[in-house]
Amino acid sequence: MPRFAANLTMLFTEVPMLDRPGLAAQAGFDGVEVLFPYDHAVTDWQTALAGLPLALVNTPPGDWVSGDRGFAAVPGQETRFRDSFLRGADLASRLGAARLHVMAGVAKGPQAEQVFVENLAWAAAQVPDQRLVIEPLNPDDMPGYFLNDFDQAARILDDLGLAQVGLQFDLWHAARIEGHAQAVWDRHKAQVSHIQIAGFPSRNEPGGGGFDLTGLCSEVDAMGYDGWIAAEYRPARATVHGLAWLQALKARAQPIGT
């Protein structure tokens, strides 16, 4: 049975951030993920989580309002990347985060790819026990973001050649980038280390878009997948009123998404 995590940045927003882990546990989630947990002290997070597993956090993005989206692939920002990565890695270690998503940043071209690979290799060497992931983001939601193609991400992971660094498969971004998320999954599932799901085309509750989520659960079980399936979507109404998909997937009572 896959483990399901609630993305606290997008779910349970009816209450303050540090109240959300408790609601996620009550709703039946096995763990949580947080995109940017840096506005609260580690000790506050530890209290709020109360032992609930943390599936994933992102590295600090920089000044989001000014357009920063991380620095791992940005030429000339190597020092800034290393400082922000070490901050993220320290938090991930202290909170026991299963995965640390390394944000590539706004950049383009061969030099950016070279910088990205070099920075990923450096990052992996700093935290050999921490699993890292990279995630392609669609250019409509994230204009200018360097990593915007799953084939590109797979090639970078092949060039890097480190089992410690894997692919973050976000069903929403895969569908927006390629039009058919199932084809992306079929090509790259062997490299996937973290999964995020949402409905398509609305990015509300999971389901739709021709992707069989029940089949995905069965497939990851058969693969021996040791990561998480995280719910990263915008609830159409109060989060707790739209969780029938979670119960259905846990029960495998009906197909969802086809």
Coordinates of all heavy atoms in Angstrom, one line a residue, residues 18 37-49 87 90-96:
L18 N 0.9 25.6 11.1 CA 1.3 24.7 12.1 C 0.2 23.9 12.7 O 0.4 22.9 13.4 CB 2.1 25.4 13.2 CG 3.4 26.0 12.8 CD1 4.1 26.7 14.0 CD2 4.4 24.9 12.2
P37 N 9.1 25.4 4.3 CA 8.9 25.4 5.7 C 9.7 26.4 6.5 O 9.8 26.3 7.7 CB 9.2 24.0 6.1 CG 10.3 23.6 5.2 CD 10.0 24.3 3.9
Y38 N 10.3 27.4 5.8 CA 11.3 28.2 6.4 C 10.8 29.4 7.2 O 11.6 30.1 7.9 CB 12.3 28.6 5.3 CG 12.9 27.5 4.6 CD1 12.4 27.1 3.3 CD2 13.9 26.7 5.1 CE1 12.9 26.0 2.7 CE2 14.4 25.6 4.5 CZ 13.9 25.3 3.2 OH 14.4 24.2 2.6
D39 N 9.5 29.6 7.3 CA 9.0 30.7 8.0 C 8.8 30.4 9.5 O 8.4 31.2 10.3 CB 7.7 31.2 7.4 CG 7.9 31.9 6.1 OD1 9.0 32.4 5.8 OD2 6.9 32.0 5.3
H40 N 9.0 29.1 9.8 CA 8.8 28.7 11.2 C 10.0 27.9 11.7 O 10.7 27.3 11.0 CB 7.6 27.7 11.3 CG 6.3 28.3 10.9 ND1 5.5 29.2 11.6 CD2 5.6 28.2 9.7 CE1 4.5 29.6 11.0 NE2 4.5 29.0 9.8
A41 N 10.2 28.0 13.0 CA 11.4 27.4 13.6 C 11.3 25.9 13.6 O 10.2 25.3 13.6 CB 11.5 27.9 15.1
V42 N 12.4 25.2 13.5 CA 12.4 23.8 13.5 C 11.7 23.2 14.7 O 11.0 22.2 14.6 CB 13.9 23.2 13.4 CG1 13.9 21.7 13.6 CG2 14.5 23.6 12.0
T43 N 11.9 23.8 15.8 CA 11.3 23.3 17.1 C 9.8 23.4 17.0 O 9.0 22.5 17.5 CB 11.8 24.0 18.3 OG1 11.7 25.4 18.1 CG2 13.3 23.7 18.6
D44 N 9.3 24.5 16.3 CA 7.8 24.6 16.2 C 7.3 23.5 15.2 O 6.2 23.0 15.4 CB 7.5 26.0 15.6 CG 7.8 27.1 16.6 OD1 7.8 26.8 17.8 OD2 7.9 28.2 16.2
W45 N 8.1 23.2 14.2 CA 7.7 22.2 13.2 C 7.7 20.8 14.0 O 6.7 20.0 13.7 CB 8.6 22.1 12.0 CG 8.2 23.0 10.9 CD1 8.8 24.1 10.4 CD2 7.0 22.9 10.1 NE1 8.1 24.7 9.4 CE2 7.0 24.0 9.2 CE3 5.9 22.0 10.2 CZ2 5.9 24.2 8.3 CZ3 4.8 22.2 9.2 CH2 4.9 23.2 8.3
Q46 N 8.7 20.6 14.8 CA 8.7 19.3 15.5 C 7.5 19.1 16.4 O 6.9 18.0 16.4 CB 10.0 19.2 16.3 CG 11.3 19.1 15.4 CD 12.6 19.3 16.2 OE1 12.6 19.9 17.2 NE2 13.6 18.7 15.7
T47 N 7.1 20.2 17.0 CA 5.9 20.1 17.9 C 4.7 19.9 17.0 O 3.8 19.1 17.4 CB 5.8 21.4 18.7 OG1 6.9 21.6 19.5 CG2 4.5 21.4 19.5
A48 N 4.6 20.6 15.9 CA 3.4 20.5 15.1 C 3.3 19.1 14.4 O 2.2 18.6 14.3 CB 3.4 21.6 14.0
L49 N 4.4 18.6 14.0 CA 4.4 17.3 13.3 C 4.1 16.2 14.3 O 3.4 15.2 14.0 CB 5.7 17.0 12.6 CG 6.0 17.9 11.4 CD1 7.4 17.7 11.0 CD2 5.0 17.5 10.3
R87 N 21.2 25.2 4.0 CA 20.1 25.5 4.9 C 18.9 24.5 4.7 O 18.4 24.0 5.7 CB 19.6 26.9 4.6 CG 18.5 27.4 5.5 CD 17.9 28.7 5.1 NE 16.8 29.2 5.9 CZ 15.9 30.1 5.6 NH1 16.0 30.7 4.4 NH2 14.9 30.4 6.4
D90 N 20.0 21.1 6.2 CA 20.0 21.1 7.7 C 18.5 20.9 8.2 O 18.3 20.1 9.1 CB 20.6 22.4 8.2 CG 20.5 22.4 9.7 OD1 21.2 21.7 10.4 OD2 19.8 23.3 10.2
L91 N 17.6 21.6 7.6 CA 16.2 21.5 8.0 C 15.7 20.1 7.7 O 15.0 19.5 8.6 CB 15.4 22.6 7.4 CG 13.9 22.6 7.8 CD1 13.4 24.0 7.9 CD2 13.0 21.8 6.8
A92 N 16.0 19.6 6.5 CA 15.5 18.3 6.2 C 16.0 17.2 7.1 O 15.3 16.3 7.5 CB 15.9 18.0 4.7
S93 N 17.3 17.4 7.5 CA 17.9 16.4 8.4 C 17.2 16.5 9.8 O 16.9 15.4 10.4 CB 19.4 16.7 8.5 OG 20.0 15.8 9.5
R94 N 17.0 17.7 10.3 CA 16.5 17.8 11.7 C 15.0 17.4 11.7 O 14.5 17.0 12.8 CB 16.7 19.3 12.1 CG 18.1 19.7 12.3 CD 18.3 21.1 12.5 NE 17.8 21.6 13.8 CZ 17.8 22.8 14.3 NH1 18.2 23.8 13.4 NH2 17.3 23.1 15.5
L95 N 14.3 17.5 10.6 CA 12.9 17.1 10.6 C 12.7 15.7 10.0 O 11.6 15.2 10.0 CB 12.1 18.1 9.8 CG 11.9 19.5 10.4 CD1 11.1 20.4 9.6 CD2 11.4 19.5 11.9
G96 N 13.8 15.1 9.6 CA 13.6 13.7 9.0 C 12.9 13.7 7.7 O 12.3 12.7 7.4

